[in-house]
């Protein structure tokens, strides 16, 4: 754990907390990957409600367990990581139950039959060609965080913690934008497959407009908050 924690920018003051967090995150990693995969699978099959319920369910359980593990039991960062992993475990179980239900109903879009999970050359090619852009986004975000943590770490643990808080706030508009883009993707795909160019163009235009408006609202709100914060900071 320690080499990975050092690579991520942990210093002597917080490396113990970082290792405690990583331990439980690695244990829950298979469920984290499966839950995120199920979200995209269900959305691509048109099961938007099930996809959203699983996503919300995992996060709500995570929040509740955070309070229990951190505040009531005092488990600190270990409790935070364990709550995250258990949230994804519950979401994964929910998605598997939904897949079983869809298979019983005869839905060919979400098969749970093991033979459909056997990889072949065409499947691997499609997964790689479609997944590279998303993988690059994830990798580049992780690399940028590692670089920033290492650079900010020279100013001490308080600076790293402050950046972590700011990063969480920054992720709210980012995740909403990503959700908007990912949510509209199946609609664009369906229209493209049906050669309905007019409807596809309208969807893209409206989505772009909503994205710009949402960005302006968050940008304006954060700017106002920043100006107010600067106003209350004593000079010198």
């Amino acid at each position: 754990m320690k080499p990975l924690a050092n690579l991520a920018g942990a210093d002597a003051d917080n490396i113990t907390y970082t290792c405690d967090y990583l331990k439980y995150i690695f244990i829950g990693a298979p469920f984290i990957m499966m839950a995120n995969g199920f979200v995209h699978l269900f959305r691509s099959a048109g099961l938007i409600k099930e996809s959203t319920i699983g996503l919300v369910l995992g996060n709500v359980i995570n929040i509740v367990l955070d309070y229990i593990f951190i505040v009531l039991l005092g488990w600190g960062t270990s409790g935070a990581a364990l709550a995250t992993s258990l949230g994804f475990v519950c979401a994964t179980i929910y998605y598997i139950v939904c897949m079983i239900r869809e298979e019983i109903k005869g839905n060919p879009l979400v098969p749970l039959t093991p033979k459909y999970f056997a990889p072949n050359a065409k499947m691997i090619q499609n997964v790689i060609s479609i997944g590279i852009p998303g993988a690059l986004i994830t990798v580049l975000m992780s690399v940028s965080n590692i670089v920033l943590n290492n650079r900010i770490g020279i100013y001490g643990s308080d600076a790293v913690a402050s950046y972590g808080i700011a990063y969480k706030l920054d992720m709210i508009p980012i995740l909403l934008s990503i959700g908007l883009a990912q949510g509209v993707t199946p609609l664009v795909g369906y229209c493209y497959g049906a050669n309905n160019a007019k409807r596809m163009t309208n969807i893209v235009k409206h989505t772009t407009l909503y994205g710009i408006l949402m960005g302006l609202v968050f940008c304006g709100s954060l700017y106002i908050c920043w100006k107010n914060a600067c106003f209350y900071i004593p000079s010198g």
Side-chain angles (χ1 to χ4, degrees), residues 6 8 12 42 71 78 132 179 197:
N6 289 327
F42 277 56
V71 178
S78 298
I132 283 179

Side-chain angles (χ1 to χ4, degrees), residues 64-177:
V64 173
L65 292 181
D66 270 337
Y67 177 78
I68 295 174
F69 293 159
I70 299 173
V71 178
L72 299 183
L73 300 180
W75 290 356
T77 53
S78 298
L82 182 59
T84 300
S85 295
L86 289 177
F88 280 107
V89 168
C90 294
T92 301
I93 293 173
Y94 168 80
Y95 286 129
I96 291 175
V97 170
C98 288
M99 289 187 72
I100 295 173
R101 185 190 64 189
E102 291 298 318
E103 175 134 7
I104 293 175
K105 291 165 57 178
N107 187 346
L109 296 177
V110 194
L112 199 59
T113 307
K115 68 177 183 179
Y116 291 109
F117 289 88
N120 54 62
K122 184 177 181 181
M123 177 194 297
I124 295 173
Q125 180 182 357
N126 289 334
V127 168
I128 292 175
S129 61
I130 296 173
I132 283 179
L136 285 176
I137 292 173
T138 303
V139 170
L140 291 174
M141 290 179 65
S142 299
V143 170
S144 66
N145 286 329
I146 290 173
V147 172
L148 282 171
N149 280 332
N150 279 278
R151 299 301 298 174
I152 296 172
I154 63 178
Y155 300 104
S157 297
D158 290 342
V160 175
S162 300
Y163 165 71
I165 295 172
Y167 177 76
K168 290 294 185 182
L169 293 174
D170 184 50
M171 287 302 293
I172 295 175
I174 290 175
L175 290 176
L176 286 173
S177 300

